[in-house]
Amino acid sequence: MTKSPTYRTIAVLDQRPGALPVPLGAAGSASGDGQTRDTLGRPLRDLRISVTDRCNFRCSYCMPKEVFDKDYAYLPHSALLSFEEITRIARQFVAHGVQKIRLTGGEPLLRKNLELLIAQLAALRTLEGEPLDITLTTNGSLLARKAQALKAAGLQRVTVSLDGLDDAVFKKMNDVDFPVADVLAGIAAAQAAGLGPIKVNMVVKRGTNDHEIVPMARHFQGTGVVLRFIEYMDVGATNGWRMDEVLPSSEVIARLHAELPLVALEASAPGETAQRWGYANAQGVYDPRLGEVGVISSVTQAFCADCNRARLSTEGQLYLCLFASQGYDLRSLVRTGAETADDTALAAAIGNIWHGRTDRYSLLRAALPPEAQGTGARRVEMSYIGG
Ligand code: SAM
Ligand code: SF4
Ligand code: SF4
């Protein structure tokens, strides 16, 4: 018989959004057999874990300097999940069918001894007994130094963010004067360490870096690096997002195709966020030696219908959508004290939360008139829940 979940509200730090009540107790969906589905029938396959809310860049679309200044209240170390807590929570996500874990932030390579966490996560096995697909998204600034150690710890791949090849453009976008050459050195070190195939994410802002689309494609074509163009999104509440600064992916592809002919490729996995395009040879046929590019059209072509991603914030709140305003406080379930629950309760809570998931922000945004897009409830910052 299915028992109804019981609820309790858990307090969080006051500068963060309030936590939602964690649904405790067994529920039909909380069996931990990989069959957990949300209200739209979506499975749970991908967990993104933010390991720090701090960053050494101040990308204007993510952590604008005016907000994330020296007075900004970052989380104290005691609020962060420890590596053991992260692994304990991740294990229960794996029991619900998660096969892929992405470490993110803030800048994940700023978290001390991250290799130790990677080694713990690499020891987990999927329900089919396979190793997890463990990857990491980084701004690349510390990658040249850390690539070897990350690989040795069990990291399989990295995604590096780079918004242009022109130093002036890139420095303006990261807003801390960080040079392109050092990110390229990080990418080269990651390739040498075997952290491939490497993906490079470029956020495209119309009027800021859209003239870098073709030069970036030319630079990475044939190198084994998969370049992906991301539509500038209305995440968080601080980046001053405007629809007219979004360059639709269809336009990115049209601009590329005019210079470097492309052919559409099949998605490589269900729930994949990027649409894939391969470079064509003189006969107009995809040539794998030239490689591929991807576009992530989070604004103009919502992919919520297949969204199988959950996000664990730096302080252990579970978010069901990149655009959510509130998360569920799982940290309180793994910390010692009177209210500590065991792993069965943690597993049940995760199952219950996913079972009740209705999130589909991008689909709903697409149905709004242009002037209403990007408005509405205050969304959590991307540097806090990770991209
Ligand atoms: N610091 C790391 C980095 O930049 O790769 C990881 C965290 S960052 C929040 C993860 C990804 O989110 C990056 O690829 C970044 O470019 C992307 N991102 C951040 N803000 C965005 C926005 N407003 N629209 C689209 N992508 C964004
Ligand atoms: Fe830092 Fe990444 Fe956000 Fe840029 S996108 S500010 S590098 S967390
Ligand atoms: Fe998933 Fe939310 Fe993005 Fe839709 S808007 S694809 S539900 S993260």
Side-chain angles (χ1 to χ4, degrees):
M1 203 182 73
T2 303
K3 276 197 272 169
S4 343
T6 48
Y7 293 86
R8 68 188 158 95
T9 308
I10 293 158
V12 288
L13 292 175
D14 53 8
Q15 79 271 28
R16 309 290 141 187
L20 293 162
V22 175
L24 297 170
S29 66
S31 47
D33 58 1
Q35 297 307 311
T36 313
R37 297 287 183 277
D38 70 8
T39 60
L40 301 176
R42 299 169 294 188
L44 174 52
R45 295 286 177 263
D46 183 331
L47 177 64
R48 302 190 173 195
I49 303 174
S50 174
V51 293
T52 176
D53 60 342
R54 291 163 199 257
C55 187
N56 53 345
F57 283 16
R58 286 294 174 273
C59 306
S60 53
Y61 51 70
C62 177
M63 296 180 76
K65 238 179 193 165
E66 309 73 57
V67 178
F68 294 88
D69 58 12
K70 63 176 180 21
D71 299 324
Y72 186 81
Y74 293 97
L75 294 167
H77 192 73
S78 59
L80 310 190
L81 289 181
S82 69
F83 292 163
E84 288 67 30
E85 288 169 339
I86 291 175
T87 306
R88 189 172 159 203
I89 293 174
R91 185 176 292 114
Q92 297 312 322
F93 274 93
V94 171
H96 281 288
V98 160
Q99 297 165 342
K100 178 173 169 182
I101 290 184
R102 178 177 294 279
L103 300 177
T104 175
E107 173 46 44
L109 297 186
L110 289 181
R111 180 84 186 251
K112 252 196 196 149
N113 301 324
L114 190 70
E115 309 78 65
L116 299 179
L117 173 64
I118 291 169
Q120 289 181 24
L121 295 174
L124 299 178
R125 290 291 172 270
T126 66
L127 292 169
E128 293 75 35
E130 302 292 329
L132 295 172
D133 181 12
I134 303 176
T135 169
L136 174 146
T137 304
T138 172
N139 62 25
S141 57
L142 301 169
L143 196 51
R145 228 178 297 162
K146 301 203 170 183
Q148 290 282 2
L150 294 168
K151 176 70 184 178
L155 188 69
Q156 279 147 4
R157 292 178 292 113
V158 285
T159 297
V160 183
S161 303
L162 178 63
D163 295 332
L165 286 176
D166 180 299
D167 233 14
V169 171
F170 183 57
K171 284 179 171 174
K172 186 166 168 232
M173 288 185 83
N174 65 53
D175 217 5
V176 292
D177 249 8
F178 199 85
V180 171
D182 290 11
V183 180
L184 294 178
I187 293 171
Q191 265 185 320
L195 287 167
I198 292 170
K199 290 179 183 155
V200 167
N201 280 352
M202 170 175 171
V203 176
V204 180
K205 260 183 108 172
R206 191 199 289 272
T208 302
N209 67 338
D210 55 324
H211 56 289
E212 288 288 292
I213 292 171
V214 173
M216 283 280 281
R218 284 196 197 285
H219 180 86
F220 288 112
Q221 189 187 46
T223 62
V225 169
V226 179
L227 176 61
R228 304 187 315 168
F229 300 94
I230 307 183
E231 286 179 351
Y232 169 41
M233 292 185 283
D234 48 331
V235 284
T238 58
N239 65 9
W241 183 87
R242 294 200 330 252
M243 188 66 190
D244 60 8
E245 288 184 314
V246 177
L247 187 82
S249 294
S250 54
E251 208 170 310
V252 172
I253 292 300
R255 287 192 199 183
L256 284 174
H257 191 62
E259 304 270 338
L260 305 161
L262 296 169
V263 286
L265 301 178
E266 295 280 315
S268 53
E272 192 178 44
T273 49
Q275 287 167 304
R276 300 169 59 213
W277 293 81
Y279 290 113
N281 60 18
Q283 288 71 46
V285 177
Y286 169 51
D287 181 348
R289 285 169 307 177
L290 295 174
E292 62 180 81
V293 290
V295 285
I296 303 182
S297 321
S298 340
V299 178
T300 61
Q301 265 184 288
F303 37 77
C304 304
D306 294 323
C307 181
N308 54 19
R309 292 177 294 284
R311 292 178 160 83
L312 186 63
S313 80
T314 316
E315 58 178 337
Q317 286 196 26
L318 169 57
Y319 282 80
L320 301 178
C321 176
L322 185 52
F323 299 91
S325 309
Q326 287 176 293
Y328 298 84
D329 184 5
L330 298 185
R331 186 186 64 188
S332 65
L333 293 182
V334 295
R335 289 245 158 128
T336 47
E339 289 191 289
T340 305
D342 60 18
D343 283 352
T344 318
L346 180 60
I350 293 168
N352 287 328
I353 292 166
W354 192 262
H355 191 49
R357 177 182 188 240
T358 58
D359 300 65
R360 53 193 196 291
Y361 177 87
S362 292
L363 269 177
L364 299 176
R365 181 216 297 109
L368 293 173
E371 64 280 7
Q373 301 199 4
T375 61
R378 188 185 166 90
R379 297 171 292 277
V380 68
E381 294 301 325
M382 200 161 175
S383 50
Y384 171 68
I385 55 166

